[in-house]
Amino acid sequence: MGIECKELGLSYVQEIAKKYNYRFLDEKIVINEKVILNQNKIESLNIDNDYHSNKIWFFHGNKNRFKVIEALSDSLSDPGIIDSWRVREFKEQIKKGDIAILWVSGGNDRGIYAIFEITAEPKLMSINPKAEKYWVDQELKKNSMLRVSLKINQNLVNKPLLKTKIENINGLEKLKVFGVIRGRTVLDVSKSEWEVIKKLI
C-alpha cells in the first residue's frame, strides 16, 4: 500500500516535541517555582538516598532481546508491567532496598532509562504475563530464572540520560556499562558515580 515503517531515535522525538511544545505524560512542569509531575501515577524516587547499607546496581536491558523501551512506555500507565529482572551476577550481594539503574543497550539510544527499587531478593520465578509480548528472545521468555522483584521509582523513558550526553561528564568516564557487557545482566555502581547520576536525574 506504499506505507513505510521507520524507527525514530528518542533524541529525534525529543527535538520534535520541543519544537511543538509537546509535554510528555511524565514530564516535570514548574509552576510558581514548584516542580510537579504531569502524571500523578509515577512514584518519585528519593534521590537523596544516603547510600548507607543500600547498594546501587546497573541492570542491563538489551532491546534486541526484550522491547524494554516499549515496556517502559506502557509502564507509564501500568507500572506493574516490569516487576522483576533477571540476575546472573552479584546474586548474593543484591538485597531488598537496593537501587537499580536501568541501562538499555542495543542501538544508538543507549543510556539510563529508569530507576528501580528492589523489593525482594533473588529467587527462581517466571516472568510476569504482562511482559510476555515484549520478549524478542522466546527461549528466555519460557524459562523460570533467578530474578529480583522490583518497582519503578522513576521512569525516564521520555527523557533518558543517553550515553552520548553523559560519557564525558566528570565522575562517569569509567562507568562499567560503557565497556563490553554482552551476556551480563548486573554491574555494580560506585557511591561517587551514583552521586553524579542523582544530580543529573
Side-chain angles (χ1 to χ4, degrees), residues 99-111:
I99 292 172
I101 305 167
L102 178 59
W103 179 267
V104 176
S105 66
N108 295 325
D109 294 326
R110 289 174 289 175

Side-chain angles (χ1 to χ4, degrees), residues 88-122:
R88 296 176 62 180
E89 301 80 21
F90 302 102
K91 297 184 285 286
E92 302 298 324
Q93 292 96 320
I94 297 175
K95 304 294 182 185
K96 179 180 178 180
D98 287 355
I99 292 172
I101 305 167
L102 178 59
W103 179 267
V104 176
S105 66
N108 295 325
D109 294 326
R110 289 174 289 175
I112 295 170
Y113 279 76
I115 308 296
F116 297 118
E117 178 186 340
I118 296 171
T119 58
E121 295 173 13

Side-chain angles (χ1 to χ4, degrees), residues 58 90 174-181 184 187-188 193:
F58 265 122
F90 302 102
K174 297 181 180 180
L175 283 179
K176 293 182 179 178
V177 287
F178 292 163
V180 178
I181 54 177
R184 300 190 67 181
L187 299 99
D188 55 320
E193 289 169 340

